[in-house]
Amino acid sequence: MSFFVDPYALEAIADGQFSFANSPHPLVTAILILLVPAIVWLLYRRTTRPVSPRWKALLITLRSAVLLLLLLMLLRPVITTWEVNPQETYLAVLIDDSQSMQINDVGNGQSRAEAVQRALFADNGILPPLAERYQLRTFAFNNALNRLDTAEELQASGNLSDPGQALQQLRNQLGGLPLSGVVLISDGADNSGADVLAQAREFAARQVPIFTVGVGQPEIQQDVAITDVAAASTILDNSIFDVQVTLQQQGYEGRQVQLRVLDGETEVLTRNVTLGANGGSSRYELELEPERREPILYELEVETLDGELIAQNNRYQFLVDNSERPPLNILYVEGHPRNEFKFIRRAAEGDESLRLASYLQTGPGRFYRQGINTPLELNDGFPATAEDLYQYQAVVIGDIDPDFLSAEQLTLLQDFVAERGGGLLVSGMLDDAFVDTALADILPVTPVRLSALPGYLQGGVRRGSHATGEMFTPRLTTPGEFSPLLRLGADDSENRNAWSALPQLQGIYVTGRAKPGATVLMEHPSVQFQDQALPVMATQRYGSGRSMAITTASTWRWQMLMPAEDESHERVWRQILRWLAQGAMERVTVNFDKPFYNVGDEVTVSVEVRDERFEPDNNASLWLQRTDPQGEVSDIAMEWDIDEDGVYRSRFLVEDEGVYNTLVDVSSTAAARIDDEKPAAFVVTPSLREYNNAARDDGLLGRIAESSGGRYYDLGEINQLVGDIERSPGAYSQQVEEDLWDRPGFLLLLIALMCADWMARRYRGLS
């Protein structure tokens, strides 16, 4: 039948667009069709010569076919189609020009972009015949829409696919022209987060169908992809820091791959990992130690396996800021000279990122200050005002008597942690007198009065030989094993070996249970209270700050009883002090809205400014100095966000990959406010979003076409577009009837049937 009627006619018949122009009532037509073979059968009941039943059936069939074909031609069969006036309407062709079009997953190892160029621009491509029928407008799109004149302008370099934005910009550009339709050619990736179907419905409302063409494989069979990397954005004093890497793979379940971390051309870490289940994600932890004091751009690389289709998602860049910073200010108050005080001070003095200002009571009414910046610092003892106390980021309290701090100072200390966001550590014994005070409220453990303890726990180290005064090896809890506060080795086994080599501690001060929101990092291996091991080290969040309790005063043994070159004690205490102080709020805080950016992204810089009492400051003047990777410097004024007290913002686009350094200059009219500068850095990296989950999305492309009244095609079916667009209903098309009865095929069929009928009759000797 396709020889006599073109494929579109067959499709039109299937869609119900077929009819008879000269047809009487449908019932009469049906009767005529049935009547023809009936009359022929009656005429062949008697023949001039005897004919076998088989020959009689053949003759009836041939004569009926001739008569039915003549009847069909008399009824005048037609198909109803749509057409536009040539060269009077416009057609827009949108071609995906994003990086995912570089993937070589089309036949014969072609990239998606190469296959599209061949299907459109080659001598037998579809653009020349479309240009004969329409005013053609060709565009390339990624995160924006750009006019396209030649195939060479397609670069497949955009780091974002945004078909919704492309359709919206197309409406803005061609909205006043008679647009017959849109051809959208893409792999279907939409990583913009916008609602592209809403744009498709806008075109449907204007009676402009969108014909979508899918490129690429519907499933990536073999690929290993880095989907996420999480690392601390800033670190102190070359500290070891953790990097969490998430890999997704397909086709390599159980395979081992090599992870490498590079600092420029220098390899700083190599590790072999085993891939998880197909289609799933696996997370791996790495530990790095920076080697220089500046923002460092690391590159993570996962080994490319045989047969892997996409290599671009095997590399990932991340920035860690190891720049020089002012030391963290920590106040340490101690009630009497003891070994713990001496060794804690010694640990802090070896760390340039820490300044430990100590206030030690050496006797009745006698105090000794160390590490002070000015002769007046701590001259009157523990600070009595917020301005004096809030200059510190953390406070460490040793073994102090109840009269060491007044009720007002305890309340101030509570505000220091809860509102200023400072850290508090109580190291050693907490006197009974503090049990019902604000100090006990801040701690992660519940202090218990001596008289409320069971007999076997009363007295403790004060009585000498006692269960709580014996030697013990603290037991790391599961959170403690993985806590950066207690890390002594680069990997788990090294860390466990380092802890097992440390000398035993002696003596623990009994407290109650850890509070519900606390995290116990170390506990006593044998002594319990209320069926729980006594906590040796515990932490918790408190308001905006954090607190810690260490219930022994013998960590000095980790230094005194170890070789002089062993720095385990120093390392633990430096990590503890940094953790306490590092989370404290600063007077000027710079934040970026993303951990990293890609070329073309908009960067939003937010700066929070506070005065000496750490109240939001709305009266500041801020300028942002930005230095791009090429060394070009620009200044940008920052504006106060009227909806957020103390917050100032600035926005700009980034156009180059690499590290951007910023310097925020702050001045304020607030009383006693000093000018301040705050450096920060961010990175613009190569984008991975075009290469992860990069399979052809037939579902999205099909929904775009369906929502607009168009149709979806695979790239191999693209030649059907020329005829389908012309015959599709639209705002600038009209219905026409196309006759089928006068097609040459019908005449040839009629002649063939009549000849067959004549030859059959002659062969049997019939008149």
Side-chain angles (χ1 to χ4, degrees):
M1 184 66 180
S2 60
F3 174 75
F4 304 101
V5 185
D6 64 50
Y8 183 77
L10 295 177
E11 187 177 326
I13 294 172
D15 292 340
Q17 298 171 2
F18 172 81
S19 62
F20 293 102
N22 298 331
S23 175
H25 192 277
L27 181 59
V28 176
T29 303
I31 292 173
L32 289 174
I33 292 174
L34 295 173
L35 193 59
V36 167
I39 294 174
V40 174
W41 179 79
L42 287 172
L43 293 174
Y44 273 95
R45 289 187 64 189
R46 291 184 179 182
T47 58
T48 56
R49 290 193 178 193
V51 179
S52 66
R54 183 177 295 180
W55 272 95
K56 185 177 291 189
L58 175 62
L59 293 170
I60 292 172
T61 301
L62 289 172
R63 182 59 59 91
S64 297
V66 171
L67 295 175
L68 285 173
L69 188 57
L70 287 171
L71 175 63
L72 182 67
M73 296 172 70
L74 290 172
L75 292 175
R76 191 187 161 198
V78 297
I79 56 172
T80 303
T81 62
W82 297 82
E83 68 175 22
V84 296
N85 293 325
Q87 294 297 324
E88 292 187 6
T89 59
Y90 288 76
L91 179 71
V93 179
L94 276 59
I95 306 169
D96 191 340
D97 197 34
S98 61
Q99 291 171 339
S100 61
M101 298 294 285
Q102 298 175 11
I103 299 173
N104 299 314
D105 64 345
V106 187
N108 300 322
Q110 294 182 93
S111 71
R112 298 173 179 180
E114 290 170 344
V116 169
Q117 290 183 32
R118 185 166 299 175
L120 296 182
F121 296 95
D123 293 338
N124 59 345
I126 68 165
L127 290 188
L130 287 176
E132 293 175 1
R133 292 167 170 80
Y134 304 95
Q135 295 286 343
L136 204 59
R137 295 292 183 268
T138 309
F139 300 88
F141 76 91
N142 36 70
N143 61 342
L145 189 71
N146 298 294
R147 185 70 182 271
L148 188 67
D149 294 321
T150 64
E152 288 70 26
E153 296 179 48
L154 290 170
Q155 301 295 319
S157 58
N159 60 24
L160 176 69
S161 293
D162 192 350
Q165 178 74 7
L167 291 172
Q168 182 178 0
Q169 292 182 8
L170 180 67
R171 281 198 299 115
N172 295 338
Q173 292 188 33
L174 304 184
L177 300 177
L179 190 62
S180 288
V182 177
V183 178
L184 177 70
I185 304 171
S186 173
D187 52 25
D190 180 5
N191 40 45
S192 66
D195 186 2
V196 63
L197 297 183
Q199 294 298 325
R201 289 189 288 270
E202 288 286 341
F203 277 83
R206 297 167 179 256
Q207 293 184 285
V208 179
I210 301 174
F211 300 87
T212 56
V213 180
V215 189
Q217 294 182 6
E219 183 178 352
I220 304 298
Q221 298 292 334
Q222 291 182 298
D223 186 41
V224 179
I226 303 171
T227 58
D228 186 46
V229 174
S233 57
T234 59
I235 56 176
L236 294 174
D237 191 34
N238 300 326
S239 303
I240 292 176
F241 63 94
D242 293 330
V243 181
Q244 288 83 37
V245 180
T246 302
L247 299 183
Q248 187 177 50
Q249 70 85 26
Q250 182 67 41
Y252 299 103
E253 182 174 354
R255 286 279 299 271
Q256 270 206 346
V257 294
Q258 185 183 76
L259 289 177
R260 299 171 66 226
V261 180
L262 304 173
D263 176 3
E265 299 296 325
T266 304
E267 183 179 290
V268 296
L269 180 95
T270 302
R271 180 179 167 189
N272 291 324
V273 300
T274 302
L275 297 173
N278 284 331
S281 296
S282 301
R283 192 169 186 176
Y284 310 92
E285 288 201 4
L286 310 175
E287 286 191 344
L288 294 178
E289 185 171 4
E291 298 181 355
R292 61 185 189 279
R293 301 305 302 271
E294 62 182 46
I296 303 175
L297 182 62
Y298 290 101
E299 183 162 27
L300 174 70
E301 181 182 277
V302 60
E303 174 188 358
T304 302
L305 300 177
D306 294 338
E308 194 170 349
L309 190 59
I310 306 173
Q312 292 92 334
N313 55 16
N314 289 36
R315 303 176 74 89
Y316 189 102
Q317 292 181 340
F318 61 97
L319 181 70
V320 174
D321 195 351
N322 191 40
S323 301
E324 295 277 357
R325 288 178 178 79
L328 298 169
N329 290 318
I330 302 173
L331 171 60
Y332 182 11
V333 293
E334 184 64 75
H336 58 88
R338 57 177 183 157
N339 289 334
E340 198 79 330
F341 170 79
K342 178 174 65 175
F343 283 96
I344 291 174
R345 274 213 58 87
R346 185 180 295 175
E349 286 172 352
D351 189 340
E352 295 179 356
S353 69
L354 301 172
R355 181 182 79 93
L356 194 65
S358 59
Y359 187 71
L360 170 66
Q361 185 171 9
T362 58
R366 298 175 62 186
F367 298 91
Y368 179 54
R369 296 176 295 159
Q370 287 179 273
I372 56 177
N373 277 339
T374 67
L376 297 180
E377 185 178 4
L378 301 177
N379 191 50
D380 297 324
F382 190 89
T385 65
E387 288 81 357
D388 290 336
L389 182 59
Y390 286 10
Q391 68 178 301
Y392 302 101
Q393 279 97 29
V395 175
V396 179
I397 294 178
D399 189 0
I400 60 174
D401 294 330
D403 58 354
F404 196 96
L405 298 175
S406 66
E408 290 78 11
Q409 287 173 318
L410 289 175
T411 301
L412 181 61
L413 185 60
Q414 187 177 34
D415 293 341
F416 169 81
V417 179
E419 297 179 8
R420 188 252 187 270
L424 172 67
L425 165 63
V426 174
S427 173
M429 184 183 68
L430 186 70
D431 195 280
D432 273 15
F434 291 111
V435 168
D436 295 322
T437 66
L439 183 58
D441 187 45
I442 304 170
L443 293 179
V445 295
T446 305
V448 179
R449 293 187 183 279
L450 188 65
S451 58
L453 293 173
Y456 73 95
L457 292 180
Q458 290 185 5
V461 294
R462 297 180 181 179
R463 279 212 323 239
S465 179
H466 191 278
T468 60
E470 294 178 351
M471 307 284 289
F472 71 94
T473 299
R475 182 171 59 209
L476 294 183
T477 64
T478 300
E481 285 190 29
F482 298 100
S483 172
L485 278 73
L486 303 180
R487 205 68 178 166
L488 293 178
D491 56 54
D492 294 343
S493 60
E494 183 182 348
N495 187 57
R496 283 191 290 268
N497 292 336
W499 275 99
S500 63
L502 292 179
Q504 290 184 308
L505 301 179
Q506 184 174 25
I508 182 171
Y509 296 101
V510 180
T511 65
R513 302 160 66 99
K515 292 179 180 177
T519 300
V520 177
L521 303 180
M522 282 196 299
E523 59 189 13
H524 200 285
S526 57
V527 181
Q528 294 187 338
F529 175 64
Q530 295 180 344
D531 297 325
Q532 282 193 357
L534 289 179
V536 177
M537 181 184 296
T539 66
Q540 78 166 2
R541 296 292 306 178
Y542 186 81
S544 299
R546 53 183 65 175
S547 66
M548 174 184 287
I550 298 178
T551 58
T552 182
S554 59
T555 64
W556 58 270
R557 296 172 60 85
W558 291 339
Q559 176 63 64
M560 194 66 180
L561 302 181
M562 291 289 284
E565 63 272 12
D566 186 275
E567 295 189 351
S568 298
H569 176 269
E570 289 94 332
R571 183 168 177 175
V572 170
W573 270 102
R574 289 171 186 173
Q575 290 170 174
I576 288 172
L577 295 174
R578 290 179 197 146
W579 177 84
L580 282 172
Q582 200 170 1
M585 291 188 295
E586 301 180 69
R587 282 197 258 174
V588 179
T589 305
V590 180
N591 294 305
F592 301 100
D593 60 323
K594 296 179 184 178
F596 63 89
Y597 300 89
N598 303 128
V599 171
D601 286 353
E602 182 181 64
V603 178
T604 299
V605 185
S606 301
V607 179
E608 188 173 1
V609 182
R610 296 177 177 271
D611 59 20
E612 275 76 2
R613 294 185 60 87
F614 282 78
E615 297 291 336
D617 186 352
N618 294 333
N619 298 310
S621 175
L622 280 74
W623 282 87
L624 175 69
Q625 184 184 87
R626 181 189 67 189
T627 305
D628 66 20
Q630 282 69 44
E632 297 291 331
V633 180
S634 58
D635 290 326
I636 306 169
M638 304 196 71
E639 298 181 355
W640 172 47
D641 188 336
I642 194 171
D643 295 324
E644 293 189 63
D645 286 340
V647 175
Y648 301 78
R649 302 190 195 279
S650 182
R651 296 176 176 84
F652 51 86
L653 296 177
V654 287
E655 299 176 352
D656 299 296
E657 292 181 359
V659 178
Y660 285 72
N661 290 289
T662 64
L663 183 66
V664 177
D665 182 72
V666 183
S667 59
S668 176
T669 59
R673 182 80 176 103
I674 60 173
D675 291 349
D676 206 351
E677 289 184 342
K678 186 71 173 182
F682 66 89
V683 63
V684 178
T685 70
S687 174
L688 293 183
R689 56 193 169 201
E690 281 292 307
Y691 301 111
N692 291 335
N693 300 315
R696 186 182 76 215
D697 193 342
D698 294 337
L700 178 62
L701 293 172
R703 290 192 296 273
I704 293 173
E706 182 181 0
S707 298
S708 65
R711 181 177 171 184
Y712 169 69
Y713 304 82
D714 182 79
L715 184 63
E717 306 168 326
I718 195 169
N719 288 327
Q720 298 180 31
L721 271 172
V722 179
D724 290 359
I725 295 174
E726 188 175 2
R727 298 185 179 97
S728 295
Y732 301 99
S733 59
Q734 58 184 0
Q735 277 188 332
V736 295
E737 289 185 346
E738 186 175 346
D739 283 307
L740 297 178
W741 70 272
D742 57 353
R743 298 291 174 94
F746 280 109
L747 181 59
L748 290 174
L749 179 60
L750 179 61
I751 294 172
L753 289 172
M754 292 179 68
C755 290
D757 178 64
W758 179 79
M759 286 188 292
R761 289 173 59 81
R762 293 289 296 170
Y763 181 79
R764 299 303 302 174
L766 299 177
S767 57

